[in-house]
Amino acid sequence: MAHQAIIKINEEMQKDPDDEYIEAIGQYVIDKCSSDANADLVMAEDKTLAGCLAAVESYAKKKAKHNKAVLKDSEVFEQVDRYFGFREEKKAVSLDLSDFL
């Protein structure tokens, strides 16, 4: 499924190869497709990069002051995660407890 999701995103990116915002979001989404669960979410017919960018823009408009908004990368990608339904990936942590004994 990941392969098809990556193809879908690449095709959307190629529709407007000069759009740096679609490029950045597309690369982020492609990286998220390493998980089969995320790839399934990307393959949903109602989920597109254009729709995702619109969701990010909507969020920025809500945060805007004096008709201007600046977002941190983390805020943008949080909105991308929310739009596609990506869950936060938990990383396993390994501790050598002998250092504490």
Side-chain angles (χ1 to χ4, degrees), residues 7-39:
I7 289 171
K8 175 185 175 180
I9 296 302
N10 275 321
E11 287 175 353
E12 289 183 61
M13 290 167 61
Q14 292 308 309
K15 290 178 183 175
D16 190 357
D18 296 327
D19 188 326
E20 295 173 5
Y21 301 108
I22 290 289
E23 173 74 20
I25 290 172
Q27 289 301 323
Y28 177 81
V29 171
I30 286 172
D31 289 345
K32 290 287 198 168
C33 287
S34 61
S35 152
D36 285 338
N38 286 346

Side-chain angles (χ1 to χ4, degrees), residues 53-67:
L53 184 57
V56 172
E57 290 171 345
S58 175
Y59 175 79
K61 286 178 183 174
K62 290 176 187 171
K63 289 199 62 160
K65 296 199 189 305
H66 307 292
N67 210 25

Side-chain angles (χ1 to χ4, degrees), residues 42-60:
V42 169
M43 290 303 295
E45 285 188 36
D46 64 333
K47 300 298 180 182
T48 64
L49 288 179
C52 183
L53 184 57
V56 172
E57 290 171 345
S58 175
Y59 175 79

Side-chain angles (χ1 to χ4, degrees), residues 28 32 35 37-38 41 77-78 80-82 84-92:
Y28 177 81
K32 290 287 198 168
S35 152
N38 286 346
L41 294 169
F77 295 124
E78 181 180 305
V80 174
D81 289 348
R82 181 171 286 140
F84 281 101
F86 298 149
R87 301 249 186 247
E88 183 178 331
E89 295 175 16
K90 304 282 186 213
K91 304 253 187 223

